[in-house]
Amino acid sequence: MQKKELLIVIYTITILLSVMYATQPLQPLLANEFEVSIVKASSFTAVIMLFLAISPIIYGYILESVKTKKVLIIASVTLFITNLALGFANNYEIFLIIRTIEAMVIPAILTACMSILANDKENTKLNMSIYVAATVFGGLVGRVFSGFIAEEFGWRVVFFSLSFALLIGLYFIKQLSFEGDANLVKPKIKDITNILKDKRFIVIYSLMFTIFFVFAGLLNILPFRIKELIPETSETQIGLLYLGYGMGIIISLTIHKIVKFFKKELRTVVAGVVIFIISTSLFLSSNALFLFSVVFLFCIGMFTVHTVSTRIANSLKASQKALTSGMYLTFYYIGGAFGSIIPSIVYAKYGWDFTIYMFVFVLTLILIFVHLNRRLFKAFN
């Protein structure tokens, strides 16, 4: 793969993830703007998680025999239009409908970008590490800059600026020479049930469902918590809360050294879960500056578990790697979809401390579950 084409794919992924997560630090502002509850404001992120969850299962049939470049162009044009529309939205219902349209399109672009990177057989592992790093960087940029732009120029400018970035991306996408098909998985029920008969996959999929449930849930309601502690907190300051998300880039690019330190992959996963539980419990603090620093530890735990679990899931079965990987993403994003809604309901009804106790409880359960089944992973314990 030429360096120019790799940079185009990285840029596309970065802007795409920025679109996905731009609303997260703006949720308290949008809740006030549209006069809706925390739960309704959280749905702006949840709807995208939901479509990312079902995309590995259904998009193989929808996008069968469609050229990757064509998918990228059509989807990018759609996102350009929808982001412009978001900037003009005047009520909650219209805003949510537009976000739903974006949710249908985003998985197609992600899949297309992954297909282009995977097509470079000589650098597949490196390209996948770059893919993960680009998704993390995009999520970081989207959160941090949306807060800053919203405070300085107004929240509508956030979506106008994203449309401009997408327009630039569209210009670059047209220069891609890759003309291959998307090579999407078309799973059958029988294939899915056969994989789930292997308890090791149940362990890994349950683990990532729970981890991302907590991760998405806590980061989704954190802006409301900060506003609760310090009502005068600006959108820029809320955006800066997510700087710790950048730890995902460091973890994804150095995971081989981390695994080497713990000697085995499953031990690394357990260590990551323990760090995740400890950091989650630290969110009980009412010191906003301390919460900012805890996000860094929180992200270290999450991305350690996520990165190593992906490697384990992809190595458990010699065949059907595309399907096992797709199912991993399905469980991962279903956890994120539930995490974007349920904790918001709990937080609105029972408060912050109860929500954190709930998170710690479910994390403790999954840690016990992984520990009890550790002997299933003979190659990893």
Side-chain angles (χ1 to χ4, degrees), residues 138-156:
L140 175 64
V141 169
R143 290 173 169 110
V144 173
F145 279 93
S146 68
F148 170 76
I149 293 170
E151 183 182 354
E152 295 297 323
F153 307 104
W155 67 266
R156 296 180 189 277

Side-chain angles (χ1 to χ4, degrees), residues 282-300:
L282 293 176
F283 279 102
L284 288 166
S285 170
S286 56
N287 184 313
L289 187 61
F290 179 70
L291 294 183
F292 169 79
S293 61
V294 171
V295 173
F296 286 82
L297 185 64
F298 186 66
C299 290
I300 289 172

Side-chain angles (χ1 to χ4, degrees), residues 25-223:
L26 305 182
Q27 282 173 179
L29 186 154
L30 293 173
N32 288 330
E33 176 75 17
F34 298 135
E35 298 179 343
V36 295
S37 65
I38 294 173
V39 179
K40 285 190 173 182
S42 297
S43 62
F44 298 145
T45 303
V47 67
I48 291 180
M49 298 287 186
L50 179 61
F51 275 89
L52 282 168
I54 63 175
S55 64
I57 297 172
I58 67 170
Y59 273 50
Y61 294 96
I62 296 173
L63 300 177
E64 185 177 10
S65 300
V66 179
K67 296 293 182 184
T68 301
K69 187 174 176 179
K70 189 175 182 181
V71 170
L72 282 174
I73 291 172
I74 294 172
S76 295
V77 169
T78 305
L79 275 187
F80 168 74
I81 295 169
T82 54
N83 268 274
L84 277 179
L86 284 174
F88 292 106
N90 288 316
N91 62 61
Y92 169 78
E93 288 76 15
I94 291 175
F95 197 97
L96 184 59
I97 289 169
I98 298 169
R99 282 294 279 182
T100 304
I101 295 170
E102 291 192 339
M104 296 176 188
V105 171
I106 285 172
I109 299 180
L110 273 179
T111 304
C113 288
M114 189 177 285
S115 294
I116 294 172
L117 292 173
N119 191 63
D120 182 9
K121 304 298 182 185
E122 294 179 3
N123 301 297
T124 302
K125 285 188 176 181
L126 174 62
N127 287 348
M128 287 304 105
S129 294
I130 291 172
Y131 172 84
V132 173
T135 59
V136 175
F137 181 67
L140 175 64
V141 169
R143 290 173 169 110
V144 173
F145 279 93
S146 68
F148 170 76
I149 293 170
E151 183 182 354
E152 295 297 323
F153 307 104
W155 67 266
R156 296 180 189 277
V157 180
V158 172
F159 301 103
F160 295 147
S161 61
L162 285 170
S163 286
F164 179 69
L166 285 162
L167 193 62
I168 295 172
L170 191 59
Y171 168 77
F172 288 130
I173 287 168
K174 288 183 177 179
Q175 297 181 35
L176 284 172
S177 60
F178 184 80
E179 295 291 346
D181 294 331
N183 293 323
L184 299 171
V185 180
K186 290 179 283 185
K188 297 179 175 63
I189 297 296
K190 183 181 177 182
D191 295 330
I192 294 172
T193 54
N194 283 339
I195 288 171
L196 293 178
K197 285 177 182 177
D198 187 334
K199 196 175 179 181
R200 295 174 300 174
F201 285 107
I202 297 291
V203 174
I204 294 297
Y205 294 160
S206 299
L207 170 66
M208 284 322 301
F209 172 91
T210 308
I211 292 293
F212 203 50
F213 170 84
V214 174
F215 186 75
L218 203 151
L219 291 185
N220 218 37
I221 60 176
L222 187 58

